[in-house]
Amino acid sequence: MRLVLFCAVSAVACVSSGCSNTADDIEALVVASLESWESGDEAVFMSSAHPDLLFAFPGERTDAEGALNVFRYWQTNFEDTRVYVNWVLVDGDRFAAEYQFATTRKSNGRRTAVGTVAIGRVQDGKIVLLKEYTDGRASRLQEAGDLPLDEGETPFPWPMTDQVNPWSE
């Protein structure tokens, strides 16, 4: 894990200091940003964020300062966060990433693991746009014990379940 963080921080530093924005650089930047939620490393998170960042996810659309507030809220209220990156696709300055975000809410000890896709854009070696797409129902139902966890598995929008879906009848 230390080696991964070292490589990720090195990649962020390289991209930030003017290295070329190759697909590998952008992928390393995206992975470093995602893994900062796991490590709680605010410096890595902020070094990946462009000052003009637009960060959007279900329920909120915010700027770089707001993203930092969300990051701090997360570190205060959740623990044992794991980010399982499945893949990152880079096309020029744009990227898409598929990952599973797993965490435990400190107040009730309930764990969730939700498949997520994010798309974004890099400018000046930092993430300037990040739009995260996830289904908040999955985490709410997992917290309630009504939907199974599939932590560490290939991310899907919804965990495998034996429940009968009304549209499959």
Side-chain angles (χ1 to χ4, degrees), residues 1-12 28 31-32 35 38-39 44:
M1 181 64 170
R2 286 185 194 158
L3 178 61
V4 170
L5 285 176
F6 172 77
C7 291
V9 171
S10 298
V12 170
V31 170
E35 288 180 345
E38 183 175 305
S39 68
V44 171

Side-chain angles (χ1 to χ4, degrees), residues 55-109:
F55 178 42
F57 55 94
E60 182 142 359
R61 187 182 305 180
T62 191
D63 58 13
E65 183 180 342
L68 178 58
N69 290 336
V70 171
F71 185 86
R72 288 176 174 163
Y73 174 87
W74 201 269
Q75 299 309 315
T76 300
N77 293 284
F78 294 86
E79 62 189 356
D80 194 24
T81 299
R82 295 286 316 267
V83 181
Y84 302 92
V85 179
N86 194 40
W87 54 258
V88 176
L89 176 66
V90 177
D91 182 18
D93 64 349
R94 299 186 182 276
F95 64 86
E98 179 188 51
Y99 52 95
Q100 186 185 65
F101 198 93
T103 195
T104 301
R105 186 181 296 273
K106 289 179 181 178
S107 64
N108 62 18

Side-chain angles (χ1 to χ4, degrees), residues 23-45:
D24 288 343
D25 293 334
I26 292 173
E27 180 176 353
L29 177 71
V30 170
V31 170
S33 181
L34 290 170
E35 288 180 345
S36 71
W37 291 82
E38 183 175 305
S39 68
D41 192 329
E42 188 175 304
V44 171
F45 177 72

